[in-house]
Amino acid sequence: MDAEQIRESCKSRFISLALTAILCVPAVAQGTVQSQEGGQLNLSEVIEMARSQSVEAIGAKAAFISSYWAWRSYQASRLPSLNLYGDFMSFDRSLQLLQDPQNGKMRYVSSNNLQNSLGLFLGQNITFTGGTLRLYSDLSRIDEFGNNTGRTYYSQPVTLSYSQPLMAYNSFKWDKLISPKEYEKAKRVYLESMEKVTSLAVQYYFALMQARKSYDIAVSNFENTSKMFAVAKERMKIGSVTREDYLQLELKTLSDSTAINDNDIQVREAQMNLNSLLGLGEKADVVPVVRDDLPDLSLSFDQVLDKAMANSSFNLDNEINILNAQSAIAKAKAQRGASVTLAAKFGLSHSADAFRETYQNLLDQEVVGLTFSIPIFDWGMGKGRVKKAEAATEVVKAQVEQAQNDYRKKIFTAVGQFNNQRQQCYVSKRASEISTERYSLMMERFRNGGISVTELITAQNENQTAVQKYLTDLGNYWTYYYALRQLTLFDFIGKADLDVNYDEMVK
């Protein structure tokens, strides 16, 4: 056997061994796992799993629950609050510095007493005025020890007090304007977060589908190229294939064999990404299902824009930003001028040595007064705070206007991409079918000696590109669709606004 025969024999044996080894790989890389984790899953099933058990979905739910309890706290602040207060077993045995009222001298007096008090307090914030209304009832007892032993009670059976800041910043009013919008925004942000999870599931699902298809194509290419290489070997003996074409086909066979391993790694990586999102184990083997039926949807820019403005968090976020800026101006103006507070208290009280006498012959009490603070000269500090807040508000308004323009352009682009993509899927699907059929015909022609190796390899590459492009276009279609759902919080297929049972979420 000469050197040429030995070399050809080694090549044939190498290719045979490589084909045998590689064809065993799909059992591991692509075989479906008949278990509770994995198996064939369509896009809807993968989306449902991602929305129910992914870390991102759990995080979105936790963020909403936090906003929900912030809203509940705000609601509670607008309702009457009832509190029990007191001072229990407060013992005082010490020297206290006092002034003698007769001669004005200062001297230390021994104090030896025990004080106890108990009261009930009902308070209500007044949103319109920013004041606070209080109704309370309390009882105090003082026990004196030492030389002046005795006991004294002091009662306030009912007392009504009111504190009203004048020309001050009314935080209650601004909270009433902002807090409901923040809670509504939290609802919409949750829905948008879930749509973001959906988009991520679509991305990983089609990435896995493409990786698996690329693997299948790599295996098929290797099988076909190996067959064509065997044909070329026979044709070379009769001189119908040049040495150059023969070597080119041999090189393509080796390249296709390494492509299988490369694509196998990509399959495993894509599978791990999807498993991580779905909360599946590392060994779970999800097999994507290709569905060619696409909904017949054509959306208009005005339709999508109207839904986005009505449903998304975008407008609410802009409104909240402007309200916060205006609130900052109101606060700066209130702090710049005079600070005046009206305090009034009306009620009944009495003091006696016996408990029973404390609630007899009650005396009425009225306390009314104004406290004020007027800045005379602050070196322009108050005016500076106002100007700073006003400048910040102008910036916010400009940012909101720019954001609205960008948002409209974003929606315009998204609508155009989606409307064009269905036709793109149809074209690429047909191109995939044509290229696959053409590749089969080209292989037959190569067997019959009708085309060159270069033409065969070109047909193979075109077929691979066309098949992969169809899957890419299919993935882009659903990516664009769910991007529009995230922008509008509207299901265009089901023709309904997206919504969830928020009460069930917080239980």
Side-chain angles (χ1 to χ4, degrees):
M1 185 180 293
D2 58 17
E4 179 66 22
Q5 290 175 326
I6 294 174
R7 191 171 68 85
E8 294 296 332
S9 176
C10 290
K11 287 180 182 177
S12 299
R13 183 172 297 177
F14 166 77
I15 294 171
S16 177
L17 291 174
L19 181 60
T20 302
I22 291 169
L23 290 179
C24 293
V25 174
V28 177
Q30 299 195 110
T32 58
V33 179
Q34 302 300 325
S35 65
Q36 293 181 353
E37 294 186 346
Q40 285 195 346
L41 294 175
N42 59 38
L43 181 59
S44 297
E45 292 170 333
V46 166
I47 289 174
E48 183 63 28
M49 291 175 66
R51 292 171 69 96
S52 62
Q53 60 196 41
S54 68
V55 174
E56 289 81 359
I58 295 173
K61 181 178 179 180
F64 170 75
I65 291 176
S66 176
S67 298
Y68 169 80
W69 286 109
W71 164 248
R72 287 289 301 271
S73 297
Y74 161 74
Q75 288 183 310
S77 70
R78 294 173 53 81
L79 299 174
S81 60
L82 184 63
N83 299 280
L84 183 68
Y85 63 93
D87 189 6
F88 183 64
M89 300 297 290
S90 178
F91 179 71
D92 181 7
R93 184 173 181 272
S94 62
L95 292 177
Q96 296 186 6
L97 184 61
L98 300 176
Q99 186 176 28
D100 192 321
Q102 296 180 354
N103 54 29
K105 292 183 177 181
M106 302 297 293
R107 62 190 182 91
Y108 284 95
V109 178
S110 176
S111 176
N112 190 1
N113 61 71
L114 178 68
Q115 297 186 30
N116 292 278
S117 64
L118 185 66
L120 200 60
F121 163 81
L122 181 66
Q124 172 67 62
N125 296 323
I126 309 300
T127 302
F128 179 72
T129 63
T132 303
L133 182 66
R134 299 179 179 89
L135 178 66
Y136 60 91
S137 175
D138 59 29
L139 174 67
S140 300
R141 167 178 162 172
I142 300 178
D143 292 281
E144 294 283 351
F145 305 112
N147 297 329
N148 299 318
T149 302
R151 179 179 299 162
T152 303
Y153 290 93
Y154 175 68
S155 70
Q156 296 184 99
V158 56
T159 301
L160 182 67
S161 70
Y162 183 71
S163 176
Q164 174 62 59
L166 304 177
M167 300 178 292
Y169 173 74
N170 188 350
S171 61
F172 301 145
K173 182 188 76 172
W174 288 103
D175 287 344
K176 183 181 180 181
L177 293 174
I178 297 173
S179 293
K181 292 182 181 294
E182 287 183 333
Y183 180 56
E184 182 60 30
K185 176 188 170 183
K187 291 181 179 179
R188 300 183 186 186
V189 167
Y190 170 75
L191 293 175
E192 290 167 350
S193 298
M194 295 305 292
E195 290 306 302
K196 187 176 181 180
V197 171
T198 298
S199 297
L200 197 58
V202 171
Q203 175 187 336
Y204 286 165
Y205 183 79
F206 280 97
L208 177 59
M209 183 184 292
Q210 288 181 314
R212 282 182 171 274
K213 191 62 178 179
S214 295
Y215 179 87
D216 291 340
I217 292 174
V219 172
S220 177
N221 285 346
F222 179 78
E223 292 174 347
N224 294 332
T225 307
S226 298
K227 293 175 182 177
M228 295 303 101
F229 181 65
V231 171
K233 181 179 179 182
E234 296 300 323
R235 288 176 55 191
M236 186 176 175
K237 294 178 181 179
I238 60 176
S240 61
V241 172
T242 65
R243 178 71 176 172
E244 181 182 355
D245 286 345
Y246 177 81
L247 293 176
Q248 184 180 6
L249 196 55
E250 180 183 5
L251 184 62
K252 186 67 169 68
T253 304
L254 296 174
S255 175
D256 287 346
S257 68
T258 58
I260 295 177
N261 292 328
D262 293 339
N263 282 282
D264 178 47
I265 293 174
Q266 293 178 6
V267 169
R268 295 177 186 275
E269 182 179 355
Q271 185 71 77
M272 291 180 68
N273 287 337
L274 184 59
N275 289 355
S276 176
L277 179 67
L278 301 183
L280 300 177
E282 292 184 0
K283 296 183 179 179
D285 197 6
V286 176
V287 180
V289 179
V290 180
R291 291 188 58 181
D292 298 326
D293 54 320
L294 299 178
D296 187 10
L297 283 177
S298 181
L299 307 177
S300 68
F301 169 73
D302 291 335
Q303 173 191 8
V304 175
L305 180 63
D306 289 344
K307 285 295 181 182
M309 291 300 183
N311 294 349
S312 73
S313 65
F314 176 76
N315 261 352
L316 277 177
D317 189 48
N318 289 336
E319 291 175 10
I320 291 171
N321 288 338
I322 291 177
L323 283 174
N324 281 325
Q326 293 173 344
S327 172
I329 293 177
K331 188 173 184 179
K333 288 182 177 179
Q335 292 176 344
R336 178 184 63 176
S339 174
V340 183
T341 301
L342 170 66
K345 183 171 69 172
F346 307 94
L348 300 173
S349 66
H350 191 56
S351 177
D353 295 337
F355 174 74
R356 292 182 179 180
E357 297 176 1
T358 306
Y359 289 92
Q360 298 174 2
N361 302 319
L362 297 174
L363 303 176
D364 59 328
Q365 58 176 351
E366 299 85 20
V367 179
V368 179
L370 285 173
T371 59
F372 66 91
S373 173
I374 302 176
I376 302 300
F377 190 71
D378 64 355
W379 303 93
M381 185 171 59
K383 181 179 179 181
R385 282 196 294 260
V386 174
K387 293 299 182 182
K388 179 181 177 181
E390 290 175 343
T393 301
E394 292 302 316
V395 172
V396 169
K397 289 181 179 179
Q399 290 173 339
V400 167
E401 184 177 353
Q402 181 62 48
Q404 288 176 339
N405 292 334
D406 294 342
Y407 195 66
R408 291 172 63 89
K409 288 189 290 185
K410 182 179 180 180
I411 291 176
F412 181 82
T413 301
V415 171
Q417 287 175 328
F418 175 76
N419 287 337
N420 179 65
Q421 197 60 29
R422 190 172 189 272
Q423 177 64 20
Q424 188 68 32
C425 287
Y426 172 78
V427 172
S428 59
K429 180 185 179 182
R430 182 58 185 151
S432 173
E433 295 170 347
I434 292 173
S435 64
T436 299
E437 183 179 356
R438 178 173 177 272
Y439 179 43
S440 298
L441 294 174
M442 295 293 276
M443 284 193 294
E444 187 62 30
R445 289 184 62 187
F446 180 79
R447 289 189 185 95
N448 299 330
I451 62 170
S452 65
V453 172
T454 300
E455 291 175 304
L456 176 65
I457 293 175
T458 299
Q460 184 190 80
N461 292 337
E462 289 176 349
N463 177 55
Q464 179 175 345
T465 300
V467 172
Q468 291 175 334
K469 186 177 187 306
Y470 170 60
L471 292 181
T472 299
D473 288 338
L474 195 62
N476 286 340
Y477 177 88
W478 290 110
T479 298
Y480 295 153
Y481 173 74
Y482 284 107
L484 286 174
R485 283 203 1 163
Q486 183 177 347
L487 285 170
T488 60
L489 299 183
F490 184 80
D491 181 3
F492 294 98
I493 297 177
K495 300 187 184 305
D497 290 333
L498 302 181
D499 198 9
V500 297
N501 191 331
Y502 296 103
D503 293 332
E504 287 293 330
M505 286 178 55
V506 298
K507 284 185 178 178

